[in-house]
């Protein structure tokens, strides 16, 4: 029976101690100051990357291919860049798991807040997640719009608000009907939806969630960091939608900070539909009430990727915790570090 577990996040110390492999006891993190800026603040500086997010000696390194370009008939007259991470252990004879990250440039970078290629290298090597292809896809743009980059990746420069913030199934159709076929032309991927995950931050999170929500036959694992489940384009409705619908076979881990944008409008009034943290709590409550396999982590940060990056390795361990692997006491081969695939 799916059950909720909750964790409290802190600066990187000992992540194994912070996230024991068992049902976790909810604790409350108290807010010391209300910092509402949309960039890193002192409450974000306490979150630091640990060794799982950095290259380690002796760990086989995957390769990143791209940027590649994906046109779309769902979002007409747009293209978007994407990158593919191929782990050193990938063998085309064995279909691999798949994980897709929205705002791909932010997750594929090896000097940013997430550094997913390093994280995948380390976790796959230790068999803490399956052999997984990572795909990092940007929002679309028309010929006269800018490609998202680390210098500018908000909603003002391209098709991101239309693709990421709306509640319809358009983005899910693009992923399933356009991106997946392009990937399958070059790679051997598992067709099992349990082997497919999707993730994002901020509006990228409320973009990732509907892909699984609309197409659980294709994706059943989700990671959301500082998710924008707010009234940008109606996303505050998701808690009610979750409660009204039959439970779907989705596993999700959500992260947010108590100092995320807290719904204070320019005139000084408060609107709960624009309170990022309150809306994250509401969707967790709805998911829990419906019996979803949900975990969450409330930190002290703002609308920043610092905490999400610091805890990403443990979020991935939790997400993939029960991927199929042999456990034969008479066979040591599956209890060793996983080296590169044979050439």
């Amino acid at each position: 029976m799916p059950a909720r577990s909750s964790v409290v996040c802190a600066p990187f110390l000992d992540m194994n101690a912070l996230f024991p492999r068992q049902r976790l006891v909810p604790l409350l993190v108290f807010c010391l100051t209300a910092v509402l800026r949309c960039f890193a603040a002192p409450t974000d500086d306490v979150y630091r990357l640990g060794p799982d997010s950095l290259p380690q000696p002796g760990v086989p390194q995957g390769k990143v291919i791209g940027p590649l370009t994906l046109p779309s008939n769902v979002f007409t007259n747009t293209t978007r860049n994407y990158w593919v991470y191929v782990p050193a252990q990938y063998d085309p004879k064995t279909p691999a798991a798949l994980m897709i990250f929205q705002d791909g440039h932010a997750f594929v970078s090896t000097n940013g807040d997430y550094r997913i290629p390093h994280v995948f290298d380390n976790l796959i090597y230790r068999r803490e997640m399956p052999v997984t292809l990572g795909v990092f896809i940007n929002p679309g743009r028309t010929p006269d719009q800018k490609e998202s980059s680390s210098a500018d990746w908000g909603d003002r420069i391209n098709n991101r608000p239309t693709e990421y913030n709306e509640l319809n199934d358009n983005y899910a159709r693009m992923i399933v009907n356009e991106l997946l076929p392009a990937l399958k032309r070059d790679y051997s991927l598992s067709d099992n939806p349990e082997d497919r995950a999707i993730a994002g931050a901020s509006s990228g999170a409320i973009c990732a969630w509907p892909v699984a929500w609309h197409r659980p036959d294709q994706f059943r694992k989700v990671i959301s960091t500082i998710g924008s489940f707010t009234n940008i384009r109606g996303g505050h409705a998701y808690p009610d939608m979750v409660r009204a619908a039959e439970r779907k076979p989705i596993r999700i881990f959500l992260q947010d900070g108590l100092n995320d944008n807290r719904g204070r409008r320019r005139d000084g009034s408060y609107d709960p539909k624009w309170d990022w943290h309150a809306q994250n709590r509401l969707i967790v409550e709805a998911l829990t009430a419906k019996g979803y396999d949900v975990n969450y982590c409330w930190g002290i940060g703002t609308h920043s990727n610092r905490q999400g990056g610091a805890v990403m390795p443990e979020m991935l361990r939790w997400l993939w915790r029960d991927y199929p692997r042999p456990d034969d006491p008479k066979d040591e081969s599956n209890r060793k570090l996983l080296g590169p695939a044979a050439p």
Side-chain angles (χ1 to χ4, degrees), residues 188-329:
S188 176
L189 298 174
S190 171
D191 289 323
N192 185 346
E194 300 289 353
D195 294 336
R196 293 182 182 169
I198 190 161
S202 189
S203 290
I206 199 176
C207 170
W209 162 252
V211 175
W213 176 256
H214 289 294
R215 297 300 304 268
D217 62 314
Q218 297 290 328
F219 290 87
R220 294 187 179 176
K221 291 178 169 65
V222 180
I223 283 181
S224 163
T225 63
I226 54 172
S228 300
F229 295 95
T230 58
N231 194 21
I232 298 176
R233 295 199 179 183
H236 65 289
Y238 271 120
D240 290 339
M241 293 168 64
V242 168
R243 290 180 184 273
E246 292 294 321
R247 181 173 64 86
K248 302 184 182 187
I250 300 171
R251 173 180 295 175
I252 181 170
F253 197 132
L254 302 97
Q255 171 274 330
D256 193 41
L258 277 74
N259 285 303
D260 202 341
N261 305 321
R262 294 310 307 256
R264 293 292 181 184
R265 312 307 290 157
R266 292 179 180 177
D267 62 1
S269 64
Y270 171 72
D271 185 345
K273 296 177 182 178
W274 284 89
D275 186 330
W276 262 247
H277 187 61
Q279 290 301 131
N280 270 270
R281 296 178 75 98
L282 285 175
I283 195 167
V284 164
E285 290 171 5
L287 291 164
T288 301
K290 295 296 289 192
Y292 278 80
D293 190 1
V294 58
N295 200 348
Y296 63 92
C297 175
W298 305 148
I300 199 75
T302 68
H303 199 68
S304 161
N305 291 296
R306 296 283 184 86
Q307 184 195 3
V311 302
M312 180 59 71
E314 198 58 39
M315 297 172 82
L316 288 166
R317 288 190 187 93
W318 182 85
L319 199 72
W320 295 105
R321 66 188 187 270
D322 53 2
Y323 81 90
R325 50 181 172 175
D327 183 24
D328 184 349

Side-chain angles (χ1 to χ4, degrees), residues 97-140:
L98 173 68
M99 189 161 188
I100 300 175
F101 295 84
Q102 311 340 289
D103 291 311
H105 64 89
F107 290 88
V108 74
S109 170
T110 54
N111 60 2
D113 289 319
Y114 290 102
R115 309 188 187 193
I116 296 299
H118 293 330
V119 179
F120 275 29
D121 285 345
N122 290 320
L123 269 57
I124 292 171
Y125 180 55
R126 298 198 302 264
R127 301 179 186 264
E128 293 172 357
M129 63 179 286
V131 175
T132 304
L133 266 70
V135 176
F136 309 87
I137 186 166
N138 278 355

